[in-house]
Amino acid sequence: MKHNMCLSLRAYAKLVLHACKFSQRAVCGVVLGREENGRVEVTDAVPLFHQGLGLSPMITAALIQVDEYCCRRELQIVGYYQANELLDNTLPDVAACRVADEIQEKFPHACLLMVDNQKVSTSADDLAVKVYKMHDGKWRIAEHSMSTLDGGEQSLQVVSRLLRNKVYAGLVDFDTHLDDVTQDWMNPSVNSLIELTCR
């Protein structure tokens, strides 16, 4: 059975903002959500790293903390996202596949989201992610119809406004949290700005 995926505005905005904040580097994170009626509902994103993406001990430590957060809220880690350093590179590398494999072991309908940096814009008219799903033991690009953005074009406009307003400047990833533990990697202030912008 094919499992469609729906990205919430919050999840999509945060992964795009993460890619923008560190536009000269590769970034990664995880998406959270739950499975409902044969569909994966992605409700949030947790920005993880903007340096040393392939460092297994750091990824493992971050995943443990995010997993604990999820358990308290009846959520799961349902996927992994990455934006590559090069503008035109949307292919998952070995590190991305390895982390996505680990997530997929716990959540069989996991997704691997690759940010298409060329579509990240202050006047976006298309989803800036390519969705990969596990098929025959390999991560393969999913059919376009299998993934949607909740709110569609209106949500794309909200994300464009967030970029124009440089909301990404306040985004905190796990790397930043490790440098200053007072910084909250769940980004409550960014979440509030996303909510305010869509009103």
Side-chain angles (χ1 to χ4, degrees), residues 14 18 33 40 48 56 61 63 82 93 97 112-113 117 136 141 157 161 166 173 179:
K14 284 166 75 173
H18 193 205
V40 178
L48 293 180
S56 292
L63 290 177
Q82 183 169 303
D93 58 16
C97 291
L112 169 55
L113 305 172
N117 292 313
D136 294 333
I141 199 148
Q157 291 171 4
R161 276 199 304 274
K166 299 183 175 152
D173 65 9
D179 290 337

Side-chain angles (χ1 to χ4, degrees), residues 172-189:
V172 175
D173 65 9
F174 203 75
D175 259 338
T176 308
H177 170 75
L178 291 175
D179 290 337
D180 177 1
V181 293
T182 65
Q183 300 288 312
D184 189 345
W185 49 266
M186 282 312 300
N187 290 286
S189 60

Side-chain angles (χ1 to χ4, degrees), residues 23 26 32 56 63 67 76 101-102 105 179 189:
S23 60
L32 315 180
S56 292
L63 290 177
D67 203 36
Q76 288 182 275
D101 286 346
E102 189 176 327
E105 285 176 17
D179 290 337
S189 60

Side-chain angles (χ1 to χ4, degrees), residues 147-167:
S147 58
T148 58
L149 174 61
D150 190 31
E153 192 175 313
Q154 188 175 19
S155 290
L156 290 174
Q157 291 171 4
V158 169
V159 173
S160 294
R161 276 199 304 274
L162 292 167
L163 293 176
R164 284 194 298 274
N165 294 335
K166 299 183 175 152
V167 172

Side-chain angles (χ1 to χ4, degrees), residues 99-157:
V99 178
D101 286 346
E102 189 176 327
I103 292 167
Q104 202 251 346
E105 285 176 17
K106 293 181 180 179
F107 185 76
H109 305 295
C111 57
L112 169 55
L113 305 172
M114 295 300 297
V115 177
D116 186 342
N117 292 313
Q118 292 180 315
K119 290 185 178 178
V120 173
S121 162
T122 56
S123 56
D125 59 1
D126 197 8
L127 203 59
V129 291
K130 293 191 177 188
V131 180
Y132 289 76
K133 299 290 277 181
M134 181 63 77
H135 183 70
D136 294 333
K138 292 189 178 180
W139 290 99
R140 301 182 192 277
I141 199 148
E143 297 171 26
H144 187 67
S145 62
M146 289 184 65
S147 58
T148 58
L149 174 61
D150 190 31
E153 192 175 313
Q154 188 175 19
S155 290
L156 290 174
Q157 291 171 4

Side-chain angles (χ1 to χ4, degrees), residues 17 161-163 165-171 190 193-194 197:
L17 292 170
R161 276 199 304 274
L162 292 167
L163 293 176
N165 294 335
K166 299 183 175 152
V167 172
Y168 52 81
L171 188 89
V190 170
L193 286 171
I194 293 167
T197 306

